[in-house]
Amino acid sequence: MEEEISNQIVLAPHEKQEFDEFKRQKRVTEARGIIRKIELNLTQPQAERSALRRVVRDGEKLGIGGICVQPYLVKPCKEYLGTGSPVSIVACISHGGADVTDIKVKQLKRAIKDGADIVEITAPIPAVKESSWGYVKREFKKLKKAAKKVALRINLEAPLLTSQELTKLCVLLCECGIPCVRTASDAYGSGADEEDIKIIKNALKDKAAIKADGVDSAGRMATLTDLGASIAGSSAALTLAAGILAEAER
């Protein structure tokens, strides 16, 4: 018993305070790393320029990874963020994917000109449903070429596809060197179905990153990360990030 007591480490009050502060800083650093993986979805048709400045300010303060907007808001978003901001501007193009390739290419180039850091374009869903894989592959190659050094991400709209279509689409994406995919927007059902993510992860074979959409809690984000997602999209990103940071500060 005496030996056990002698082996116990007793910290002085100031040492305990320093140790507690070290643990808090470690938690906050880890939390900020998680928050950097979150992107705010601000792609609703009713999203207005008047709300953008506040969202940009709050997003930068919290340290989220990106703000996703429709092409109309890319330029003002760039103006509000300024040069050198760690927050990426993600231009979301062709929701539904029905635009012809030439239109998508023009929209991509315009988004880059306006200041987009990442361009997210919906796959040609009608062509996929018709099994026009030659068209799909040609589109991906043209988009990849037009994107140049800007990061390109393809929105799969997984809820609209069969498992076979989803697998084939992911294989083509890898063949064309697309570096990242988004599971789906929230326009056609769940943005992050777990079974879809498993299919996508298996088909990509770690050749492309995965953005899982529709994340509404830290627990949900952890689940999707475990399944293979490295980016989380959420329309409630600011609330989610604030909650993660608050928990770390305790």
Side-chain angles (χ1 to χ4, degrees), residues 61-248:
K61 183 178 179 180
L62 288 165
I64 64 172
I67 299 176
C68 306
V69 295
Q70 295 203 44
Y72 175 73
L73 293 180
V74 169
K75 193 170 184 178
C77 192
K78 180 65 176 180
E79 292 172 356
Y80 296 151
L81 282 171
T83 303
S85 173
V87 179
S88 297
I89 300 172
V90 185
C92 298
I93 292 172
S94 189
H95 279 202
D99 295 309
V100 296
T101 303
D102 289 348
I103 295 298
K104 291 182 180 180
V105 169
K106 288 180 180 179
Q107 289 179 312
L108 183 153
K109 290 181 177 179
R110 175 59 188 269
I112 294 172
K113 181 180 178 181
D114 285 348
D117 302 296
I118 302 169
V119 181
E120 185 178 280
I121 304 178
T122 302
I125 302 301
V128 172
K129 301 305 291 186
E130 292 181 347
S131 298
S132 298
W133 298 113
Y135 181 98
V136 175
K137 192 169 185 176
R138 286 192 297 272
E139 176 166 298
F140 288 161
K141 286 183 175 180
K142 288 182 179 180
L143 293 174
K144 184 70 164 55
K145 182 179 180 180
K148 297 181 179 179
K149 294 182 180 180
V150 171
L152 176 63
R153 183 186 297 160
I154 298 298
N155 174 27
L156 304 174
E157 293 296 15
L160 300 179
L161 306 178
T162 65
S163 58
Q164 292 80 10
E165 291 167 342
L166 193 54
T167 297
K168 177 67 174 180
L169 188 56
C170 288
V171 170
L172 287 181
L173 284 163
C174 293
E175 291 178 0
C176 296
I178 305 299
C180 187
V181 303
R182 177 186 182 185
T183 55
S185 66
D186 57 2
Y188 304 102
S190 173
D193 181 85
E194 294 180 18
E195 291 305 314
D196 286 341
I197 293 180
K198 291 176 184 178
I199 294 170
I200 293 167
K201 175 71 174 175
N202 184 61
L204 292 177
K205 301 186 184 302
D206 296 323
K207 294 179 181 178
I210 300 172
K211 172 185 174 181
D213 216 270
V215 176
D216 57 3
S217 68
R220 179 64 173 162
M221 183 175 176
T223 296
L224 298 177
T225 299
D226 289 343
L227 289 174
S230 57
I231 306 167
S234 175
S235 58
L238 300 183
T239 301
L240 176 59
I244 293 172
L245 197 57
E247 182 65 26

